[in-house]
Amino acid sequence: MRGRLLRAWREGAAAAAAAARGLAELGAPRGKPPWRVLFFGTDEFAAESLRALEAAREPREEPLIDRLEVVTLPSPLPRGLPVKNCAQQFQLPTHDWPDTGPSGQFDVGVVASFGRLLSEDLILQFPYGVLNVHPSYLPRWRGPAPIVHAVLHGDTVTGVTIMQIKPKRFDVGPIIKQERYAVPSQCTAKELEAILSKLGANMLISVLKNLPESLKNKREQPNEGVTFAPKVTIAMSCIKWEEQTPEHILRLQRAIGPTLPLQTLWMGNTVKLLDFVEVHNIRSFADQLLNEHGIVPGSVLYHKLSQTLVVRCKEGWVGVKTVILKKKLTAADFYNGYLHPWFQQNSKTLHGDCRFHTLKLTTVKKTERKGNGSAQYKTKSA
């Protein structure tokens, strides 16, 4: 009798242990750290948060994270996406979207610059939901390119928001934590991204340290001040000389120029313009010519003293130091090779005929053999 009772007790204890292991494998929610985290991301902004999560996984008395896996997008680039490279460096299990790895085995999801909507079924697999590290002070600049649009629109203050995502729509979920950041003068989008990525990573770790309490204190986004930050397109790089002021063009250069050079047309050829500068100190030179000749938006002059191309735009002039036309040229090279010969051949022609034209891109669908459409661009001048 006693032996049967002991055997039954042992079998019960074994069953309880197996059940506990089964619950753990199914991802039973934990009430405190260490957390099991599934990370979704692609670019360098996201990689900074992933590095912070990996650092929080290191052995310590009270570890913050004990399991970390990564979901990223397939990339045609030979060097791969920053998040995938980072995950490989840390030897983290990695899944290519739409594969999201084992179901129901994580406490919380974290998204940063992922660019894909997560389904409601996927979000519900995480007991604490999915956090989003978003580089703007929401609700301003919802969407895929908040840093670019903050620089493009001359924002003096931006920030980072940690929010809880909702299905079907981007960047509308409740706010868990927010911090403002004053945008440095003349800051490029790439420089601002590096700053905000570190701020966002630190904020994410702060939220995870007190996750249940942080979620209790979340608040809905206000209805006022909502703006949208659509993705960057190649059409944004085409300078509109008739419509854009010097300030706008300089902001555009800081926003997208380092990764997508601004472009225009010169005598039917596409030209990329680099190294823009303000021209306050040579404006009188350009204005004098404006009074003497027929200058129109896009008209190009050369200021020899500063070795700068000076281009007429809306309400002023903007300077250009470098041009790419077949190859990289300094302003002096462009003048000697293109501007000066043109003036010699057209000495009686108005300066307005020597100009950059606004490049307009028209999207044309190209049908492939298998019937899949791919977008191509044709150029025309305005």
Side-chain angles (χ1 to χ4, degrees), residues 9-278:
W9 178 84
R10 286 174 176 169
E11 289 174 354
R21 284 196 301 271
L23 283 173
E25 290 171 359
L26 291 173
R30 298 176 177 181
K32 62 179 183 178
W35 308 117
R36 295 160 294 187
V37 178
L38 184 61
F39 182 82
F40 300 76
T42 56
D43 63 11
E44 188 55 44
F45 176 86
E48 190 65 33
S49 287
L50 181 57
R51 283 189 281 268
L53 292 172
E54 169 63 16
R57 198 167 67 98
E58 294 177 358
R60 61 189 71 187
E61 286 187 11
E62 296 184 1
L64 185 61
I65 294 168
D66 69 354
R67 182 175 177 181
L68 179 60
E69 297 191 16
V70 175
V71 178
T72 189
L73 303 180
S75 173
L77 299 175
R79 62 189 179 193
L81 294 173
V83 161
K84 189 160 194 174
N85 295 337
C86 192
Q88 290 173 343
Q89 177 189 346
F90 297 137
Q91 299 181 337
L92 298 173
T94 305
H95 314 280
D96 284 339
W97 179 266
D99 177 22
T100 57
S103 174
Q105 295 189 19
F106 299 92
D107 301 298
V108 62
V110 174
V111 168
S113 298
F114 188 59
R116 297 292 187 273
L117 283 171
L118 273 57
S119 68
E120 186 171 11
D121 288 343
L122 178 57
I123 295 170
L124 290 175
Q125 291 181 19
F126 302 94
Y128 291 100
V130 181
L131 312 180
N132 181 16
V133 186
H134 185 79
S136 83
Y137 200 85
L138 290 171
R140 185 163 177 80
W141 302 132
R142 292 174 177 171
I147 298 175
V148 165
H149 285 274
V151 173
L152 182 59
H153 289 79
D155 289 8
T156 57
V157 176
T158 185
V160 174
T161 304
I162 309 292
M163 52 162 286
Q164 195 172 40
I165 70 168
K166 290 183 176 180
K168 300 179 182 179
R169 290 180 64 193
F170 285 110
D171 307 328
V172 298
I175 294 168
I176 300 169
K177 186 177 180 66
Q178 270 189 317
E179 288 189 24
R180 295 183 188 271
Y181 184 81
V183 180
S185 176
Q186 310 299 312
C187 187
T188 68
K190 276 292 177 187
E191 292 166 343
L192 187 57
E193 178 187 75
I195 295 168
L196 296 183
S197 67
K198 289 180 172 55
L199 175 61
N202 292 335
M203 291 169 60
L204 172 63
I205 296 303
S206 175
V207 167
L208 289 174
K209 285 178 178 178
N210 301 284
L211 183 57
E213 184 179 349
S214 296
L215 292 174
K216 285 179 185 177
N217 295 325
K218 66 186 180 184
R219 55 186 173 84
E220 295 299 322
Q221 294 186 31
N223 296 322
E224 301 78 26
V226 175
T227 58
F228 296 94
K231 67 180 181 180
V232 175
T233 65
I234 193 171
M236 291 173 63
S237 68
C238 300
I239 301 174
K240 301 178 179 66
W241 302 108
E242 298 83 1
E243 301 174 19
Q244 294 173 329
T245 64
E247 182 183 4
H248 190 152
I249 293 170
L250 291 168
R251 289 203 307 260
L252 183 63
Q253 163 66 15
R254 293 196 295 272
I256 68 172
T259 53
L260 190 61
L262 306 193
Q263 53 184 343
T264 189
L265 274 181
W266 166 261
M267 303 299 175
N269 297 303
T270 301
V271 176
K272 294 180 179 179
L273 307 179
L274 312 175
D275 304 326
F276 285 77
V277 294
E278 296 183 57

Side-chain angles (χ1 to χ4, degrees), residues 220-349:
E220 295 299 322
Q221 294 186 31
N223 296 322
E224 301 78 26
V226 175
T227 58
F228 296 94
K231 67 180 181 180
V232 175
T233 65
I234 193 171
M236 291 173 63
S237 68
C238 300
I239 301 174
K240 301 178 179 66
W241 302 108
E242 298 83 1
E243 301 174 19
Q244 294 173 329
T245 64
E247 182 183 4
H248 190 152
I249 293 170
L250 291 168
R251 289 203 307 260
L252 183 63
Q253 163 66 15
R254 293 196 295 272
I256 68 172
T259 53
L260 190 61
L262 306 193
Q263 53 184 343
T264 189
L265 274 181
W266 166 261
M267 303 299 175
N269 297 303
T270 301
V271 176
K272 294 180 179 179
L273 307 179
L274 312 175
D275 304 326
F276 285 77
V277 294
E278 296 183 57
V279 295
H280 296 304
N281 56 333
I282 56 178
R283 182 173 291 175
S284 58
F285 153 78
D287 287 342
Q288 183 179 355
L289 284 175
L290 174 63
N291 294 330
E292 296 175 0
H293 305 277
I295 304 292
V296 295
S299 293
V300 188
L301 308 171
Y302 178 65
H303 188 255
K304 189 173 182 179
L305 185 63
S306 64
Q307 297 187 322
T308 304
L309 294 176
V310 186
V311 190
R312 181 68 181 179
C313 54
K314 181 182 178 182
E315 299 176 5
W317 301 82
V318 67
V320 179
K321 291 285 190 179
T322 309
V323 171
I324 298 179
L325 177 55
K326 299 179 182 176
K327 63 179 182 179
K328 199 169 187 179
L329 304 168
T330 65
D333 292 336
F334 184 80
Y335 171 73
N336 292 326
Y338 295 93
L339 280 184
H340 185 60
W342 187 92
F343 282 125
Q344 285 185 320
Q345 295 172 15
N346 303 274
S347 58
K348 296 182 180 180
T349 308

